[in-house]
Amino acid sequence: MSALHITKNNFQQEVIHGDKPVLLDFWASWCGPCRMVGPIVDEIAAQRTDIKVGKINVEEQRELAAAFRVMSIPTLVVMKDGQIVEKAGGARPKDQILSML
């Protein structure tokens, strides 16, 4: 499965009311560290069927970025049952991202 493009329009359905834990990647196209983390997040999305992976472009989805208090990007958030259980800022290697799950 590939990473989902999360917007304020599908956030409730895909993240809050989803049946799996969700890894969210807050990013922007101009962000160098985001471009490093993006392929890792895509790889996790393709390999892990037990979770959902979503990407939130902070330039397009300012309301969601504000709701999650995203102050720097990339920011990775893990949600379970509609609640934030992990949050980390900055580029991270794949093993550290997986350990958040």
Side-chain angles (χ1 to χ4, degrees):
M1 190 167 153
S2 61
L4 301 167
H5 179 72
I6 302 295
T7 67
K8 64 181 180 180
N9 296 328
N10 68 359
F11 179 79
Q12 289 289 325
Q13 176 188 343
E14 297 292 350
V15 178
I16 300 298
H17 300 298
D19 57 344
K20 298 178 180 180
V22 183
L23 171 65
L24 296 173
D25 174 20
F26 288 85
W27 69 284
S29 60
W30 49 263
C31 166
C34 297
R35 288 194 300 267
M36 291 170 41
V37 170
I40 297 170
V41 171
D42 289 336
E43 190 176 303
I44 292 169
Q47 293 173 345
R48 296 282 301 262
T49 57
D50 60 322
I51 63 168
K52 247 185 215 185
V53 177
K55 291 188 169 193
I56 300 174
N57 184 322
V58 298
E59 292 290 308
E60 297 171 358
Q61 302 299 320
R62 294 179 190 273
E63 290 175 41
L64 286 176
F68 280 84
R69 294 186 174 102
V70 173
M71 299 297 171
S72 63
I73 51 175
T75 293
L76 298 169
V77 175
V78 176
M79 297 191 68
K80 292 181 183 173
D81 302 319
Q83 302 294 317
I84 297 171
V85 295
E86 289 282 339
K87 184 175 178 181
R92 303 191 176 275
K94 184 177 179 181
D95 62 330
Q96 284 185 15
I97 296 171
L98 290 172
S99 72
M100 293 174 64
L101 299 168

